[in-house]
Amino acid sequence: MYTELIKIIEGGLSHDAKKVISYSKHLAKKLREDGADKLADKIMKTIEGSTGIPVFKDQLFDAPVDNDTRLNIADIILPQDIKLDITISESIQSPVNNFISLVNSKNDIQSKGLDINLSMLLYGPPGCGKTTLAKHIAKELDIPIVIARFDSLISSLLGNTAKNIRKLFDYAKSKPCILFLDEFDAIAKARDDNHETGELKRVINSLLQNIDDFLETGILIAATNHEQLLDSAIWRRFEKVVNVNKPNSDEIKNLISNYLIKVEANIDTNDKKFDTLSTYFKDLSHSEIIKIMNSAYYNSIIHKSVFEYDEIFSEFFKYKNNNRYTADEMIRFLNESHIPQKQIATYLDISIRQVRNALTIE
């Protein structure tokens, strides 16, 4: 019995949840054999009542490193350090909430004798919030997120890449966390790709084996901008597959509106210019839209001017044209965007005659 107590303490100090639970069950069994049923029942009730995901607070983690370069092969972010201000689209909200509920129901599902696969694959264009979603899930579950660093994970010595992958998964398996594999296609390319070497194909086999082993107890999220490159066997490993796409028209309007509320902008969203702006932002990613809005807002602060549509339209025009345009082209664009000529002249600090000349108005 003393052995079990020592092992439980060791497991607690090393943050090894599996060890704590295993030896707690051994202790409960011995207590029951000794007739201490009430205490044994209390221990088992405590174990079964746990979410199975102990929370880490104010703890330091030593990230795993590549043996040759001594560079970290992962970054660890604690839930209390995750600062997010996001709007999740309805199409994505449901599967994300379902995944969070699935993790929180892990013990209930396993108590029914069922296996559970806590994995999610996020795919879609860059800048649409896949990494942010992974952090959001970690924040909601109140557990650390271990983010793989493929720049150091993939060793120049190919034989070490498989070792680094194993080291990463072993590390994530040793403590309650989410293992997040961003830019997943970097190591999960199709094995029938003729451009890949035999060694890299062996890396994928190693990856698949580690995923299978890890998902017996761990939580895995992967993200890719190039889902077409993934090996077919990869898709079968993930319980949830979510397409994180560019925002639709309603989502764009919500994104702009929420931004304007956040910065306390005095901009009328009932103005027809709001619909024009929403149309311009079509086919842009979430991050592109926020980047343009930020640039416009920063400019208004720098120039100590009122944050208005002319600033936002101007930044959009610069972004779409890679900052290559003439003054006349900017004038015509602002005019087409329903900005009055006088306001264009004031905003660009030019005369009304220059505006009219650009518009060929005498």
Side-chain angles (χ1 to χ4, degrees):
M1 192 175 299
Y2 290 112
T3 300
E4 282 75 20
L5 287 172
I6 292 171
K7 293 295 184 182
I8 291 168
I9 293 170
E10 288 176 351
L13 292 174
S14 62
H15 315 303
D16 188 340
K18 289 196 294 184
K19 188 173 184 178
V20 172
I21 292 173
S22 176
Y23 280 98
S24 294
K25 288 180 178 179
H26 280 297
L27 178 60
K29 182 180 179 181
K30 284 193 174 184
L31 288 169
R32 203 176 301 282
E33 291 172 353
D34 291 343
D37 289 342
K38 286 187 177 180
L39 184 54
D41 289 342
K42 191 170 183 179
I43 291 173
M44 293 305 298
K45 188 176 180 181
T46 300
I47 293 172
E48 292 167 2
S50 166
T51 62
I53 307 171
V55 177
F56 289 85
K57 297 291 185 184
D58 303 319
Q59 297 182 21
L60 296 175
F61 293 85
D62 293 325
V65 299
D66 176 83
N67 285 338
D68 295 312
T69 64
R70 305 310 298 171
L71 294 174
N72 289 353
I73 59 175
D75 293 322
I76 296 90
I77 305 177
L78 300 180
Q80 61 266 34
D81 295 329
I82 298 175
K83 311 298 181 185
L84 297 173
D85 182 14
I86 63 171
T87 301
I88 302 176
S89 64
E90 292 183 9
S91 61
I92 298 173
Q93 184 78 64
S94 179
V96 167
N97 287 346
N98 181 266
F99 183 73
I100 292 170
S101 298
L102 187 67
V103 175
N104 286 327
S105 303
K106 175 182 178 181
N107 283 346
D108 290 338
I109 293 171
Q110 290 180 326
S111 69
K112 307 296 184 182
L114 301 173
D115 294 328
I116 185 169
N117 178 335
L118 299 177
S119 62
M120 175 180 278
L121 175 62
L122 306 171
Y123 72 94
C128 291
K130 295 183 288 297
T131 301
T132 301
L133 275 176
K135 292 179 180 178
H136 166 74
I137 293 171
K139 183 75 172 178
E140 289 296 305
L141 292 172
D142 202 20
I143 55 176
I145 182 169
V146 176
I147 304 176
R149 294 193 54 167
F150 288 114
D151 56 342
S152 49
L153 182 71
I154 300 176
S155 173
S156 58
L157 301 173
L158 291 177
N160 287 346
T161 299
K163 293 178 183 177
N164 283 343
I165 290 173
R166 178 60 183 268
K167 183 182 293 185
L168 175 68
F169 276 89
D170 285 347
Y171 174 84
K173 194 163 56 174
S174 70
K175 46 183 61 66
C177 67
I178 289 175
L179 175 58
F180 179 50
L181 306 178
D182 202 359
E183 299 181 12
F184 191 43
D185 49 276
I187 58 169
K189 288 183 179 179
R191 284 167 289 185
D192 57 3
D193 186 341
N194 294 326
H195 295 93
E196 298 297 355
T197 67
E199 181 63 33
L200 285 176
K201 292 175 182 178
R202 284 191 286 274
V203 165
I204 296 171
N205 289 333
S206 173
L207 173 66
L208 293 172
Q209 291 169 2
N210 278 283
I211 288 176
D212 289 340
D213 181 55
F214 179 77
L215 287 178
E216 292 180 6
T217 55
I219 307 171
L220 176 66
I221 300 177
T224 178
N225 303 331
H226 305 286
E227 67 277 6
Q228 72 280 2
L229 298 180
L230 297 183
D231 191 275
S232 58
I234 290 293
W235 294 88
R236 297 194 296 272
R237 261 65 181 185
F238 288 89
E239 180 71 17
K240 304 290 182 183
V241 177
V242 181
N243 183 4
V244 185
N245 220 322
K246 293 179 180 179
N248 59 33
S249 178
D250 289 339
E251 291 166 354
I252 288 172
K253 290 180 179 180
N254 288 335
L255 190 61
I256 300 171
S257 297
N258 291 335
Y259 185 92
L260 295 175
I261 292 171
K262 184 174 66 173
V263 300
E264 299 180 351
N266 188 24
I267 292 180
D268 183 8
T269 55
N270 292 317
D271 192 304
K272 62 182 178 181
K273 289 190 282 291
F274 182 76
D275 291 328
T276 299
L277 181 62
S278 301
T279 301
Y280 286 160
F281 283 169
K282 182 183 177 183
D283 296 327
L284 294 184
S285 69
H286 296 76
S287 64
E288 288 175 310
I289 293 171
I290 295 301
K291 179 180 180 179
I292 292 169
M293 296 295 291
N294 278 340
S295 294
Y297 185 59
Y298 298 158
N299 284 340
S300 70
I301 294 173
I302 293 169
H303 300 134
K304 295 181 173 55
S305 59
V306 178
F307 184 41
E308 295 187 18
Y309 279 112
D310 50 13
E311 195 78 70
I312 304 174
F313 285 134
S314 172
E315 284 305 309
F316 167 77
F317 187 72
K318 293 174 186 177
Y319 181 78
K320 290 297 288 184
N321 289 280
N322 298 313
N323 275 312
R324 289 179 289 189
Y325 59 90
T326 65
D328 285 358
E329 286 172 339
M330 174 66 82
I331 291 169
R332 286 193 286 270
F333 175 76
L334 292 175
N335 181 70
E336 292 166 0
S337 304
H338 311 295
I339 303 296
Q341 293 179 20
K342 187 176 180 180
Q343 188 175 340
I344 294 174
T346 302
Y347 171 68
L348 296 178
D349 194 22
I350 57 178
S351 68
I352 191 69
R353 179 175 293 279
Q354 286 176 276
V355 173
R356 288 173 177 167
N357 286 342
L359 299 174
T360 66
I361 298 176
E362 295 297 329

